Amino acid sequence: MQAHGEQMRSERSSELQSGRKKGFVWALASIVLVSIAQLLLKYGLLQMPPGFDSATVQLLWSTALIWPVLLPIAAGIGCYGLSVLCWMAALQHLQLSVAYPLLSVSYLIVQVGAATLPVFHESLEPQRVVGIITVMIGIALIMMPDKIATRRRN
């Protein structure tokens, strides 16, 4: 009987590990998609003509000039939608207290994208680098297994 109980616990632990891995994969997909969405939205807005106002919108709508603006914005909104679906899948497998801090990884992706993609002309200042490293250290601390809670369960 004891061997059967240990086998059941081992199988359950394996299922939980597998579900957790799936959750992290879905969370990563969501993070990447939301980061791409941010970059696409910003790119679309950069395509707006200077002095953007309602008269400009009417002119854009009446010509083909709207497409370079709308396509990246629509793609960004689409990425947001897909990100939400991935996030919902992630939450099925992860505790919210584990999953939510992972969203901070998008800060890193967006900052690096904005600094390295030539269309944005942004720089990665030292204080931003320190801030991003601090956030990543915080995420690592949150992701560490709680040894005290693990000992209590056993």
Side-chain angles (χ1 to χ4, degrees), residues 131-151:
I132 290 169
I133 290 170
T134 303
V135 169
M136 295 301 119
I137 290 170
I139 292 170
L141 289 172
I142 290 170
M143 294 293 118
M144 290 175 123
D146 185 359
K147 292 181 181 174
I148 295 171
T150 306
R151 277 191 230 131

Side-chain angles (χ1 to χ4, degrees), residues 118-136:
V119 298
F120 297 114
H121 307 289
E122 293 191 23
S123 61
L124 200 52
E125 302 297 329
Q127 74 271 18
R128 288 184 185 172
V129 173
V130 171
I132 290 169
I133 290 170
T134 303
V135 169
M136 295 301 119

